[in-house]
Amino acid sequence: MSFKLLKPLPKPEEIKQEYALSEKATQIKQERDILIRDIITGKSDKFLVIIGPCSADNEDSVCDYISRLAKVQEKVKDRLVIVPRIYTNKPRTTGEGYKGIAHQPDPEKRPDMIAGLIAMRKMHIRALEESGLSSADEMLYPENWPYVEDLLSYVAIGARSVEDQHHRLTVSGFDVPAGMKNPTSGDFSVMLNSVYAAQHPHHFVFRGYEVSTTGNPLTHVVLRGAVNKRGICIPNYHYEDLERLIQMYGERNLLNPTAIIDSNHSNSNKQYEQQVRIVKEVMHNRRISSEIKSMVKGVMIESYLEPGCQKVGEHVYGKSITDPCLGWKESEELLYHIAEMNQ
């Protein structure tokens, strides 16, 4: 084989013991888990907003951003549950480019997986302990889940991972909500099959062990738009798309029917400014259709301190080095609009 073994990774228990979550933060995380779970199950009529940078590339600016989110959360706590996006793993379409802080703690240096696992955990802990907001991350590498499983209140499964057996089976062992995105083709059936798989028990191999799971009833769908065979982005957040999703959900024996709308990616054709318009349309559709209101329980928004994006090495504080994001001013205004519409 052409693999070159570089160095063994520390076990999750070792890193978790060295970088432990405080008792107070553990309690906050448990309380937040209940808030989010109640939205997914329909027990709460609050609205979920998963918002933050495309990739969490810098601990200081990410925690600065989340401290601002915390102030907004306090003002809208009767209507919204805000979950910061702290995405430490970044999927790359071609395999090239910055792969996230878990892979490359310093975007301008070579990858270092041990330092990355530590940086990933430290960022999540600092954000939670400073802001009181537990976060969401994307599970790009299922083997990394045990390093942060005590920190996350929400997990996203990306469009390129949603058809993968290992991702589906790993989610079946989660005790927090997991959003299965539609694949880049846009096929709702693939996405719903993933939800079905993750909601049921399984027996498989994970991190060198034979394991069994009980299934995760909090697994649900995320609509992120699609790309057709000509490379053109096709949105799937419109009224008609949501009606079709409701029908297809109803044809399957799935628990807790839930959809989260991703306002960026192929839904916006990566035109980050369009996220404001898209979210407003989603909130309007919830107002005019009780079925859509019952199904659509949250949105995802890519947002950072500064609008747009930059190249690695430009060093603009709080500006994305991957996909472009909304700036803080527009994001704050949008959060208050969402809260006003969820009354």
Side-chain angles (χ1 to χ4, degrees), residues 35-311:
L35 288 174
I36 298 167
R37 183 184 302 117
D38 286 350
I39 293 174
I40 302 298
T41 61
K43 185 177 180 180
S44 168
D45 60 2
K46 292 180 181 179
F47 195 70
L48 194 61
V49 181
I50 302 163
I51 183 170
C54 173
S55 61
D57 56 89
N58 178 280
E59 182 178 308
D60 289 337
S61 57
V62 167
C63 290
D64 181 356
Y65 173 88
I66 295 172
S67 71
R68 303 186 193 193
L69 281 183
K71 295 174 183 177
V72 177
Q73 173 67 95
E74 182 60 28
K75 294 177 182 178
V76 299
K77 62 183 179 182
D78 59 327
R79 284 168 282 176
L80 304 184
V81 175
I82 298 174
V83 181
R85 277 178 57 113
I86 305 182
Y87 282 25
T88 55
N89 302 276
K90 179 64 182 173
R92 309 305 306 196
T93 303
T94 64
E96 295 181 334
Y98 176 64
K99 296 182 176 66
I101 202 168
H103 190 93
Q104 203 172 352
D106 186 332
E108 298 179 57
K109 294 182 180 179
R110 293 177 61 83
D112 186 331
M113 302 305 294
I114 293 179
L117 292 172
I118 293 171
M120 172 176 70
R121 185 165 176 85
K122 285 177 66 179
M123 183 187 295
H124 279 291
I125 290 175
R126 177 180 169 186
L128 175 55
E129 294 190 337
E130 288 184 358
S131 70
L133 301 181
S134 54
S135 55
D137 202 344
E138 179 174 352
M139 189 180 72
L140 185 58
Y141 308 108
E143 294 83 359
N144 283 357
W145 164 249
Y147 292 98
V148 289
E149 53 86 19
D150 58 329
L151 305 176
L152 301 180
S153 287
Y154 187 94
V155 179
I157 305 301
R160 297 164 187 82
S161 301
V162 73
E163 296 186 70
D164 177 61
Q165 181 85 329
H166 195 35
H167 283 80
R168 293 176 171 189
L169 301 190
T170 302
V171 171
S172 74
F174 286 5
D175 58 359
V176 295
M180 299 293 209
K181 291 194 173 186
N182 62 261
T184 54
S185 69
D187 190 334
F188 280 9
S189 295
V190 169
M191 172 179 66
L192 289 166
N193 287 343
S194 294
V195 173
Y196 184 93
Q199 287 193 356
H200 286 75
H202 293 284
H203 196 112
F204 58 105
V205 173
F206 185 74
R207 292 187 61 88
Y209 286 88
E210 181 179 4
V211 301
S212 65
T213 61
T214 57
N216 180 2
L218 303 177
T219 311
H220 57 276
V221 306
V222 178
L223 301 186
R224 50 87 72 199
V227 180
N228 69 14
K229 63 183 181 180
R230 294 180 175 85
I232 299 172
C233 288
I234 308 296
N236 59 13
Y237 62 86
H238 294 307
Y239 188 99
E240 294 78 9
D241 299 300
L242 300 177
E243 288 288 300
R244 176 169 165 262
L245 176 65
I246 291 167
Q247 178 185 347
M248 293 181 70
Y249 240 121
E251 294 169 353
R252 290 162 169 80
N253 185 25
L254 297 172
L255 301 172
N256 304 313
T258 297
I260 306 295
I261 309 301
D262 182 344
S263 63
N264 211 10
H265 296 98
S266 293
N267 270 332
S268 68
N269 196 21
K270 293 192 177 180
Q271 303 300 308
Y272 70 94
E273 307 98 325
Q274 295 298 316
Q275 293 183 98
V276 175
R277 176 189 58 79
I278 292 167
V279 169
K280 287 182 177 180
E281 179 179 326
V282 171
M283 300 308 294
H284 172 71
N285 286 336
R286 291 181 80 247
R287 279 212 163 172
I288 63 176
S289 169
S290 59
E291 283 189 322
I292 290 176
K293 183 176 182 179
S294 178
M295 173 68 72
V296 177
K297 298 174 183 176
V299 291
M300 288 183 173
I301 303 167
E302 293 198 332
S303 157
Y304 211 173
L305 297 176
E306 297 294 333
C309 63
Q310 62 180 324
K311 295 180 180 179

